[in-house]
Amino acid sequence: MPGPPPASPVSMSATLAADEALARRRAAGERVLSMASGEIGLPVLPALRDRLAAAAGENAYGSVAGSPALRTAVAGYWERRGLAVDPGLVVAGPGSKSLLFALLLAIGGDVVVPVPSWVSYAAQARLAGARPLPVPILPGQGGVPDPARLREAVADARAAGQNPRAVVVTVPDNPTGTVASASTVRELAAAARELDLVVVSDEIYGDLVYDSSEPAVSPALHAPERTVVTTGLTKNLALGGWRTGVARLPDSELGRALHTRLVAVASQIWSSPPAPVQTAAAYAFGEPPEVVARIAASRRLHEKVVRAVAARFTAVGAELSPVAATCYLYPDFEPLRDHLAAAHGVQDGDGLAALFSERYGIGVLPATAFGEPGRPLRIRAATSHFYGATDEQRTAALESAEAADPLALPWIRGSVDRVGEVLADLAAAPVAALAPRA
């Protein structure tokens, strides 16, 4: 009899595992509140739903890199953001997550990842047979490794015989909800050029910066010859289940060679993106008025709800960098360390996340899931499941973001209040109540 298969080099995605655990508890009748994953709980824009349905008969494989219509629309999307690109250097895939993994395979070598960073970067590097090289971020500038420490880490790794060839950045950032400054991104790009690293810039949250007059700066503006940019429709239009991602390859000798390898990898993994979804995605990336309006409403909704929840965390003494984008918070409970240890037996973020889940039915993730070493008392919390349990509620939440206050909706108010109650119990502090309803 053959023996058992070798152990997987990685565990299941922490976000997906947490969501599945909460779903089982909800099905069992428990009261739970999901703040673990960043799936955006909003309805599909009707214009996109109609186009997907109309394209259901498109069942041919099509081009590995994506349809000409989609690649042209994506090129226009990036051109409007100051990143002109030949559609021939755009590659589409079944989700930006798949594209990121394929890119690591195509680039080869070890991968520098920020600390903290999204749960899958380091895991994907290991799956690709590479080493993830963790480099801390600068305070309040998540998603981009500290350029000075990046230089040190790469020099040390190469001296030890390792082969770092890429650095992954996230602008805006998951898990912190912050946006790295223009100067930090510029310095990162300069360091990547000096060190001959490919920059993989995950910009899936680029349309969710609250202040649209100050968008996140892409490293492709400063190191265009070596920066690959990825994005998709998962976050800005809440289309996670449609699995659509796109990559912009640099117009350089390096970029064209990487494009060839990426398409070859894609041809062996997914053959081509799903044709009906490509048709709807081409429409979305063209940014007609209804798409622009939906994204703007989503952005306002995220901002208002995140800021309300952030106030609950800081009211009990947790430290929190100002959230500038996305639906994520990354509070640090270090100021409450002694109290949490004495009152709850909590010594670190893992214990804190377990307490949130087991005692209060709130799913959050510990900092260790994002690569933080040691025993930090940080967690990541997402507010994207607060918007309602039905499309009617979620549509009302979107509409309230502009015309009224989404916190006046009872289901959103109830979730925010629940977070406040739990935090007050943790810290033995008074509950910070919302303002009375009009």
Side-chain angles (χ1 to χ4, degrees):
M1 293 289 290
S8 170
V10 295
S11 57
M12 184 174 178
S13 163
T15 52
L16 300 182
D19 266 359
E20 288 191 5
L22 286 172
R24 288 192 294 269
R25 292 174 62 179
R26 185 179 292 109
E30 293 185 47
R31 178 189 181 189
V32 297
L33 180 62
S34 177
M35 299 184 74
S37 82
E39 180 173 6
I40 309 299
L42 291 172
V44 176
L45 182 67
L48 294 179
R49 183 182 60 222
D50 294 345
R51 279 162 176 78
L52 181 68
E58 298 177 16
N59 62 340
Y61 281 114
S63 169
V64 174
S67 71
L70 175 57
R71 288 185 283 113
T72 298
V74 170
Y77 170 91
W78 269 314
E79 184 174 7
R80 290 187 291 276
R81 287 153 178 80
L83 298 175
V85 62
D86 183 336
L89 288 170
V90 172
V91 177
S96 61
K97 191 173 188 177
S98 302
L99 275 171
L100 287 163
F101 180 54
L103 278 164
L104 297 186
L105 290 171
I107 295 167
D110 299 324
V111 185
V112 177
V113 297
V115 177
S117 63
W118 178 51
V119 297
S120 290
Y121 295 142
Q124 288 190 347
R126 286 189 287 268
L127 280 172
R131 295 180 184 89
L133 303 176
V135 176
I137 63 171
L138 291 166
Q141 298 195 56
V144 176
D146 177 347
R149 299 182 72 169
L150 169 68
R151 290 182 172 93
E152 295 173 0
V154 170
D156 290 346
R158 287 174 174 166
Q162 298 176 28
N163 184 29
R165 296 181 61 184
V167 54
V168 178
V169 303
T170 318
V171 285
D173 182 42
N174 168 14
T176 68
T178 60
V179 180
S181 69
S183 61
T184 295
V185 173
R186 184 171 56 250
E187 291 175 23
L188 180 282
R193 183 175 288 127
E194 293 168 18
L195 298 166
D196 193 23
L197 298 175
V198 176
V199 181
V200 178
S201 186
D202 180 353
E203 301 181 12
I204 191 76
Y205 300 98
D207 291 336
L208 297 182
V209 179
Y210 302 151
D211 186 353
S212 57
S213 68
E214 294 187 10
V217 175
S218 173
L221 293 172
H222 300 293
E225 81 288 355
R226 64 182 56 253
T227 301
V228 181
V229 182
T230 66
T231 192
L233 304 176
T234 300
K235 305 301 180 181
N236 62 355
L237 284 166
L239 297 177
W242 288 20
R243 308 312 304 140
T244 303
V246 290
R248 174 192 182 274
L249 281 295
D251 189 1
S252 64
E253 182 179 354
L254 179 154
R256 288 185 288 275
L258 183 55
H259 177 274
T260 299
R261 293 196 296 274
L262 176 61
V263 172
V265 170
S267 74
Q268 300 292 358
I269 298 177
W270 61 75
S271 298
S272 65
V277 176
Q278 288 188 74
T279 295
Y283 178 79
F285 278 113
E287 299 185 290
E290 60 267 35
V291 167
V292 173
R294 166 57 69 88
I295 294 172
S298 302
R299 191 166 52 236
R300 288 190 295 269
L301 177 61
H302 294 324
E303 179 179 11
K304 290 181 179 181
V305 176
V306 162
R307 294 202 188 287
V309 175
R312 300 303 186 275
F313 281 104
T314 56
V316 300
E319 296 177 342
L320 183 65
S321 295
V323 179
T326 79
C327 55
Y328 301 122
L329 305 106
Y330 199 62
D332 188 349
F333 285 79
E334 185 61 34
L336 292 135
R337 180 176 288 277
D338 291 344
H339 169 76
L340 290 172
H344 305 289
V346 167
Q347 304 288 342
D348 53 26
D350 291 74
L352 184 58
L355 182 66
F356 268 97
S357 175
E358 294 165 11
R359 179 177 298 180
Y360 302 109
I362 295 182
V364 296
L365 294 179
T368 52
F370 303 93
E372 294 245 36
R375 307 181 72 184
L377 264 171
R378 285 183 287 278
I379 58 169
R380 193 203 68 178
T383 60
S384 52
H385 287 278
F386 286 19
Y387 305 143
T390 66
D391 276 357
E392 290 76 15
Q393 288 183 341
R394 294 163 181 160
T395 299
L398 279 168
E399 293 171 348
S400 73
E402 181 173 13
D405 181 4
L407 298 172
L409 297 173
W411 55 93
I412 294 179
R413 184 187 185 104
S415 294
V416 174
D417 280 350
R418 176 62 180 157
V419 173
E421 292 165 0
V422 167
L423 290 170
D425 188 66
L426 279 176
V431 176
L434 288 165
R437 301 185 197 183

